């Protein structure tokens, strides 16, 4: 039984930083992909960043140079360091996991989801 639990969202002013984390449990297959998606009210869920088992990361164009995804295998935790935050980054941020392939375009390819953590920039 796979469980993803996010924490570390919050409210910041523009230019500020946050580092939400996602605790991963039950994902025993090492051929996995971990990602962060976000969804603002009235908008579709969009991929923000993903990292594969080799540690290779991919980012949405809108966050490149500002966000960094990383994972601590010893703690089974994935992080999203968000710097220089902008009001348009305001959204619910979700941690997601899937096996084998590791894309960022389609949220429906991900099998496992956390409950989300709210990030507000204003």
């Amino acid at each position: 039984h796979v469980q993803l639990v996010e924490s570390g969202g919050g409210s910041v002013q523009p230019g500020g930083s946050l580092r939400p984390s996602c605790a991963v449990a039950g994902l025993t297959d090492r051929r996995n992909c971990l990602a962060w998606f976000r969804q603002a009210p009235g908008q579709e869920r969009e991929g923000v960043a993903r990292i594969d088992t080799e540690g290779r990361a991919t980012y949405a164009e809108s966050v490149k140079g500002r966000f960094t995804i990383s994972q601590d295998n010893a703690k089974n935790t994935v992080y999203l360091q968000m710097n220089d935050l902008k009001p348009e980054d305001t959204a619910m941020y979700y941690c997601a996991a899937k096996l084998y392939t590791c894309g960022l375009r389609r949220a429906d390819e991900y099998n496992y989801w956390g409950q989300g953590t709210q990030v507000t920039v204003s």
Side-chain angles (χ1 to χ4, degrees), residues 1-31:
H1 178 61
V2 177
Q3 284 189 312
L4 307 175
V5 180
E6 302 99 331
S7 61
S11 296
V12 296
Q13 294 182 345
S17 298
L18 285 171
R19 193 180 79 147
S21 60
C22 173
V24 182
L27 193 62
T28 56
D29 195 321
R30 287 180 53 81
R31 298 164 293 175

Side-chain angles (χ1 to χ4, degrees), residues 5-10 16-24 34-39 46-51 57-60 62-72 77-85 89-96 104 117-119:
V5 180
E6 302 99 331
S7 61
S17 298
L18 285 171
R19 193 180 79 147
S21 60
C22 173
V24 182
L34 297 171
W36 287 93
F37 285 76
R38 66 185 180 186
Q39 187 168 21
E46 64 170 344
V48 175
R50 65 84 169 155
I51 189 166
T58 298
Y59 299 92
S62 59
V63 306
K64 277 184 179 178
R66 301 188 298 122
F67 291 11
T68 303
I69 187 172
S70 62
Q71 57 185 2
D72 184 332
T77 301
V78 60
Y79 303 94
L80 185 67
Q81 178 67 47
M82 305 189 295
N83 298 328
D84 190 23
L85 282 161
D89 294 318
T90 295
M92 185 72 78
Y93 282 70
Y94 297 91
C95 179
L104 200 56
T117 185
Q118 179 66 38
V119 170

